């Protein structure tokens, strides 16, 4: 038997509620994060990721309480991201019951933060979240750069080189989001996923763009991802995690059933 | 009614394992480094996360290392992840670190295994893998042979005595992912993060009378 590929439902959480993070649709309330996470746990989710999209201080305290409630009821790994800027933020989330934290803009600002975090807490709980956008013209070989602030700020950092650096600095895993694909429901940017999975030895989670179950399959088979993350296809009952696993298993992908 | 002490020596997330033990019926779970509190508990969990050198240094600093020697002879003890690795003689991590030496054996790195490189397997070994039960044990009760548990580690245990091993996993090479001896049981995987089968193992631990 071999290591199973993972399916990771992602919850975007704002002020203690799950929201659908798609810009061009109305923001829809998708429920209490603990209830939603429990539902995914029961459906067989391999891990659960939630991203705090709140900027306010009150929102952060709400998030810590949400993590605490979730950790008492959900017994698969939990990853928390959004606003992790210093060692104290990591400590707070781990103490609340998170198993991993994902670090994004703080790493772009100061890459050594990932190194320090990994040495302090271990690579197993440090996820480097990378938001990449294609900068090569059509017909050129693919090239992607890291963007921050929801895709507005171009950093000039090459995505593949950045992923390698994050892995060198002790990130135990990479959460890779295509900013071009995110919210389109047209599938992952498979060339991007392939470029990153070929470059690093740590596991890679593909994210951004899932609209159907075939997209999950493509992320693993064509992109080489170790785990696939999706949000909206699960939130509103389009598919259950169990249906996704059945589909991938039929396509020859090793799943935990 | 059973009380459990989760040994706290300042490493990582102990909340998960405490919550899981409460969920499966432990009447009292304390996270503690206080010798008297730990001695008073019915059962003890030795967790471990992060680097082996830091874990061992913290264990010595908090007086856990000496205490474990005593606990091994007195009550059910469950080691998890680095808590299992720490039971062996020595680990290659961080340039070489001595473990507690409860059992002779080495802890090796997946990066040094040629088949891992050849098969382009990712390190850390992260995710859900199958566990073959090598012999019957009270802690396997109600858990199917070959059930999947959640792993996250870059180093694996190589106990000298193969009879210690009660669970085997395969990742580039077969390795021991669970050992048992008298009142000690230890797992490389994280039962507290392994959904229903993991909770069952913890429940079995609470009921175990070795």
């Amino acid at each position: 038997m071999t290591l199973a590929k993972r399916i990771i439902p992602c919850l975007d959480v704002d002020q203690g509620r799950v929201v659908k993070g798609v810009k061009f649709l109305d923001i829809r309330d998708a429920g209490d994060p603990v209830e939603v996470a429990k539902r995914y746990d029961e459906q067989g989710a391999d891990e659960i990721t939630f991203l705090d999209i709140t900027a306010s201080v009150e929102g952060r305290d709400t998030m810590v309480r949400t993590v605490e409630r979730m950790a008492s009821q959900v017994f698969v790994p939990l990853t928390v991201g959004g606003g992790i800027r210093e060692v104290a933020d990591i400590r707070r989330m781990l103490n609340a019951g998170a198993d991993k934290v994902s670090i994004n803009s703080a790493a772009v600002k100061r890459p050594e933060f990932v190194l320090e975090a990994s040495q302090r807490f271990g690579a197993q709980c440090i996820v480097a979240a990378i938001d990449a956008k294609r900068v090569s013209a059509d017909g050129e070989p693919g090239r992607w750069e890291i963007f921050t602030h929801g895709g507005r700020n171009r950093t000039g950092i090459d995505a593949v080189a950045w992923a390698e650096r994050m892995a060198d600095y002790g990130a135990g895993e990479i959460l890779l989001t295509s900013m071009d694909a995110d919210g389109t429901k047209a599938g992952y940017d498979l060339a991007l996923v392939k470029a990153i999975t070929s470059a690093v030895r740590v596991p890679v989670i593909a994210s951004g763009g899932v609209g159907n179950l075939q997209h999950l399959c493509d992320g693993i088979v064509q992109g080489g991802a170790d785990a696939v993350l999706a949000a909206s296809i699960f939130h509103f009952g389009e598919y259950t995690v169990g249906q996704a696993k059945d589909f991938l298993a039929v396509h020859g992908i090793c799943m935990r059933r | 009614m059973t009380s459990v002490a989760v040994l706290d020596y300042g490493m990582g997330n102990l909340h998960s394992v405490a919550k899981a033990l409460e969920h499966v019926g432990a009447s009292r779970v304390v996270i503690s480094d206080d010798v008297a509190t730990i001695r008073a508990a019915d059962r003890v969990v030795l967790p471990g996360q992060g680097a082996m050198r830091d874990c061992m240094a913290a264990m010595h600093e908090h007086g856990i290392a000496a205490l474990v020697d005593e606990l091994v002879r007195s009550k059910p003890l469950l080691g998890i992840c680095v808590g299992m690795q720490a039971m062996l003689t020595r680990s290659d991590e961080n340039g070489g670190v001595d473990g507690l030496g409860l059992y002779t054996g080495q802890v090796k790195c997946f990066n040094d295994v040629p088949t891992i490189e050849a098969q382009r397997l990712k390190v850390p070994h992260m995710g859900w893998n199958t566990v073959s039960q090598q012999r019957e044990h009270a802690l396997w009760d109600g858990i199917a042979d070959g059930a999947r548990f959640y792993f996250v580690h870059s180093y694996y245990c190589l106990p000298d005595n193969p009879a210690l091993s009660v669970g085997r996993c395969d990742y580039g090479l077969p390795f021991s992912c669970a050992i048992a001896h008298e009142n000690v049981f230890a797992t490389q995987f994280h039962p507290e993060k392994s959904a229903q089968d993991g909770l069952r193992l913890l429940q079995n631990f609470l009921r175990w009378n070795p």
Side-chain angles (χ1 to χ4, degrees):
Chain A
M1 295 301 281
T2 48
L3 189 63
K5 299 293 182 181
R6 289 170 280 153
I7 294 186
I8 308 178
C10 178
L11 283 53
D12 289 320
V13 178
D14 183 20
Q15 308 285 354
R17 298 291 290 179
V18 179
V19 295
K20 182 167 173 161
V22 180
K23 292 182 243 13
F24 51 79
L25 289 175
D26 292 339
I27 296 280
R28 285 170 71 185
D29 187 301
D32 170 41
V34 178
E35 292 306 314
V36 175
K38 264 179 74 178
R39 190 168 76 226
Y40 293 148
D41 185 12
E42 283 158 15
Q43 290 177 5
D46 297 309
E47 292 187 24
I48 290 167
T49 288
F50 52 117
L51 300 178
D52 177 15
I53 63 170
T54 315
S56 69
V57 173
E58 302 77 38
R60 304 319 306 266
D61 291 343
T62 307
M63 193 63 180
V64 169
R65 285 197 299 276
T66 304
V67 174
E68 281 172 353
R69 285 170 55 220
M70 199 175 286
S72 321
Q73 305 201 38
V74 174
F75 300 102
V76 295
L78 298 176
T79 301
V80 181
I84 304 290
R85 295 191 182 86
E86 47 191 293
V87 162
D89 296 326
I90 301 177
R91 164 95 45 213
R92 197 174 308 125
M93 286 306 175
L94 296 182
N95 284 348
D99 298 288
K100 313 180 195 180
V101 292
S102 88
I103 302 175
N104 193 338
S105 43
V108 177
K109 206 168 168 186
R110 200 173 69 83
E112 291 73 23
F113 177 46
V114 170
L115 189 67
E116 291 157 16
S118 179
Q119 282 171 350
R120 185 85 162 256
F121 300 103
Q124 84 288 336
C125 74
I126 304 300
V127 181
I130 297 179
D131 292 341
K133 206 164 165 177
R134 188 184 284 263
V135 292
S136 50
D138 288 347
E140 281 180 3
R143 208 162 52 77
W144 299 264
E145 280 185 14
I146 305 305
F147 279 69
T148 61
H149 298 88
R152 288 193 302 277
N153 293 5
R154 185 171 175 172
T155 63
I157 303 168
D158 178 73
V160 174
W162 182 246
E164 288 170 336
R165 188 169 180 194
M166 290 291 97
D168 283 348
Y169 277 15
E173 192 168 36
I174 286 170
L175 168 55
L176 176 67
T177 304
S178 160
M179 308 219 64
D180 305 300
D182 201 28
T184 63
K185 296 199 143 218
Y188 298 117
D189 180 343
L190 294 172
L192 170 65
V193 178
K194 187 72 195 162
I196 302 291
T197 56
S198 308
V200 297
R201 276 195 77 178
V202 299
V204 176
I205 306 164
S207 158
V210 172
N212 60 47
L213 301 181
Q214 185 60 45
H215 293 151
L216 299 176
C217 192
D218 295 342
I220 294 167
V221 174
Q222 294 181 43
D226 301 281
V228 283
L229 179 141
S232 54
I233 61 162
F234 297 129
H235 289 344
F236 299 106
E238 256 175 275
Y239 302 103
T240 64
V241 176
Q243 285 169 335
K245 289 193 161 183
D246 290 344
F247 183 88
L248 295 184
V250 164
H251 288 74
I253 296 170
C254 179
M255 289 276 121
R256 173 176 76 101
R257 307 296 290 282
Chain B
M1 299 292 278
T2 185
S3 66
V4 185
V6 178
L7 301 190
D8 179 13
Y9 48 98
M11 298 299 293
N13 171 13
L14 308 179
H15 183 101
S16 287
V17 68
K19 288 292 170 193
L21 287 163
E22 283 168 2
H23 189 80
V24 296
S27 55
R28 184 155 183 266
V29 180
V30 288
I31 296 174
S32 178
D33 68 344
D34 175 66
V35 172
T37 306
I38 294 165
R39 281 198 178 119
D42 300 325
R43 288 152 206 276
V44 173
V45 174
L46 176 66
Q49 264 187 4
M52 178 86 165
R53 179 180 298 280
D54 295 342
C55 276
M56 288 311 304
M59 268 192 228
H60 286 296
E61 190 191 325
H62 289 251
I64 300 285
L67 185 61
V68 167
D69 269 341
E70 171 197 319
L71 296 173
V72 160
R73 293 187 298 273
S74 58
K75 58 187 75 180
L77 174 68
L78 176 66
I80 298 174
C81 197
V82 180
M84 169 178 174
Q85 297 178 359
M87 291 177 179
L88 299 188
T89 319
R90 191 167 171 82
S91 170
D92 284 349
E93 194 172 2
N94 309 117
V97 188
D98 284 336
L100 296 168
L102 301 178
Y103 312 110
T104 58
Q106 305 291 314
V107 182
K108 300 281 183 188
C109 187
F110 281 127
N111 276 320
D112 300 331
V113 178
T115 47
I116 293 267
E117 181 74 48
Q119 296 172 29
R120 294 189 52 78
L121 295 176
K122 302 295 180 83
V123 179
H125 172 220
M126 182 185 287
W128 298 79
N129 211 337
T130 53
V131 173
S132 313
Q133 299 168 11
Q134 292 171 284
R135 61 177 160 91
E136 282 190 16
H137 193 283
L139 267 66
W140 294 138
D141 182 54
I143 298 170
D145 189 14
R148 287 183 185 274
F149 288 86
Y150 185 79
F151 288 83
V152 51
H153 61 127
S154 299
Y155 289 78
Y156 64 95
C157 290
L158 208 60
D160 287 350
N161 177 5
L164 278 180
S165 186
V166 289
R168 192 185 62 216
C169 183
D170 201 304
Y171 194 64
L173 79 171
F175 66 94
S176 175
C177 67
I179 56 174
H181 181 66
E182 296 174 348
N183 51 305
V184 177
F185 196 93
T187 64
Q188 179 61 66
F189 53 82
H190 288 268
E192 76 280 15
K193 288 286 136 191
S194 295
Q196 290 310 313
D197 287 324
L199 292 174
R200 178 64 191 234
L201 190 146
L202 293 175
Q203 192 177 50
N204 290 342
F205 174 66
L206 295 181
R207 294 171 178 170
W208 185 30
N209 291 307

